[in-house]
Amino acid sequence: QVQLQQWGAGLLKPSETLSLTCAVYGGSFSGYYWSWIRQPPGKGLEWIGEINHSGSTNYNPSLKSRVTISVDTSKNQFSLKLSSVTAADTAVYYCARGHIVVVTAIQMVNYYFDYWGQGTLVTVSS
Amino acid sequence: SSELTQDPAVSVALGQTVRITCQGDSLRSYYASWYQQKPGQAPVLVIYGKNNRPSGIPDRFSGSSSGNTASLTITGAQAEDEADYYCNSRDSSGNRHVVFGGGTKLTVL
């Protein structure tokens, strides 16, 4: 059974750097896209970015200038850093496993998040 | 286009059938995946691919798609189905960005 367990600081001051780590237990670490997703209080889900086991990253353009996602394959962990946080970055942050399957015969692609971390509430306040 | 559009709220009488829709150009190339989220909990995958349910998801949940529209159908809605539902895919324009719909709040009456 795959489990994602995440941790990191829950209270930050404006201008500080948010730092979260997600550990993956069970299953393979390679062959998937490992994402960070956030949800401001009372709002919808926002994808932050992803990384694969070889370290290739892909970021939400709206956050790209402040985001770094890294991977430590020796520990089956990946991490998020978000710099220069403001109150607008207050949210529950989730890590998740992205699974992509190409259905060649009909030129369609399956993409889905099948496992999620428990979520970490990060509050930015002076 | 990188947007997925969902109705903000939908209601259904207990035991009846409800359809939640998601529209976006990316759905012509990517199947939508659907997530159920209850208050204070992480999202849970309920439908992925053409119409696949992860283990443990009741068979009253089903998915379909046509053109740029994907649908999640709950046949015989139960009180415990009251939740927020999000669709998701990747942007099909080549940048591989991930997109979520704005979410649909389902109320079971």
Side-chain angles (χ1 to χ4, degrees):
Chain A
Q1 177 71 354
V2 175
Q3 290 188 340
L4 277 63
Q5 181 137 15
Q6 57 183 101
W7 64 89
L11 180 61
L12 297 173
K13 291 181 171 22
S15 80
E16 292 184 334
T17 295
L18 178 157
S19 182
L20 298 173
T21 298
C22 182
V24 180
Y25 301 102
S28 172
F29 196 72
S30 63
Y32 299 98
Y33 291 86
W34 303 95
S35 273
W36 288 98
I37 296 156
R38 70 180 184 178
Q39 185 172 37
K43 297 188 177 181
L45 300 169
E46 179 182 31
W47 176 73
I48 299 169
E50 68 184 4
I51 192 166
N52 65 10
H53 71 283
S54 61
S56 177
T57 55
N58 184 21
Y59 298 134
N60 185 323
S62 68
L63 298 169
K64 186 174 182 178
S65 64
R66 299 192 292 130
V67 172
T68 301
I69 297 177
S70 58
V71 66
D72 185 341
T73 54
S74 68
K75 296 180 179 179
N76 279 11
Q77 294 177 1
F78 63 107
S79 298
L80 168 70
K81 290 191 186 299
L82 179 67
S83 64
S84 304
V85 297
T86 69
D89 295 310
T90 293
V92 176
Y93 286 74
Y94 296 101
C95 58
R97 187 176 86 168
H99 196 174
I100 189 163
V101 177
V102 178
V103 185
T104 308
I106 55 173
Q107 298 185 333
M108 288 290 287
V109 182
N110 290 335
Y111 180 78
Y112 54 95
F113 296 110
D114 52 358
Y115 291 98
W116 295 65
Q118 78 275 21
T120 300
L121 173 61
V122 177
T123 302
V124 181
S125 174
S126 55
Chain B
S1 171
S2 61
E3 293 184 355
L4 294 177
T5 301
Q6 298 182 240
D7 291 328
V10 172
S11 62
V12 62
L14 184 67
Q16 296 303 301
T17 296
V18 62
R19 177 175 292 181
I20 298 169
T21 61
C22 175
Q23 284 190 305
D25 288 343
S26 64
L27 301 182
R28 297 183 186 278
S29 302
Y30 285 85
Y31 287 115
S33 53
W34 291 94
Y35 306 85
Q36 177 192 70
Q37 187 181 36
K38 297 180 179 180
Q41 298 182 17
V44 173
L45 178 68
V46 294
I47 290 290
Y48 66 98
K50 187 175 183 180
N51 181 19
N52 300 297
R53 284 176 289 105
S55 174
I57 301 301
D59 60 6
R60 63 179 179 271
F61 289 88
S62 63
S64 62
S65 66
S66 178
N68 73 336
T69 301
S71 300
L72 172 70
T73 300
I74 307 174
T75 303
Q78 302 299 302
E80 61 264 32
D81 299 333
E82 184 162 296
D84 294 324
Y85 291 85
Y86 294 91
C87 62
N88 154 248
S89 81
R90 274 187 183 275
D91 189 328
S92 59
S93 66
N95 58 35
R96 300 185 302 114
H97 296 153
V98 175
V99 291
F100 284 96
T104 298
K105 169 64 178 176
L106 175 66
T107 300
V108 179
L109 303 171

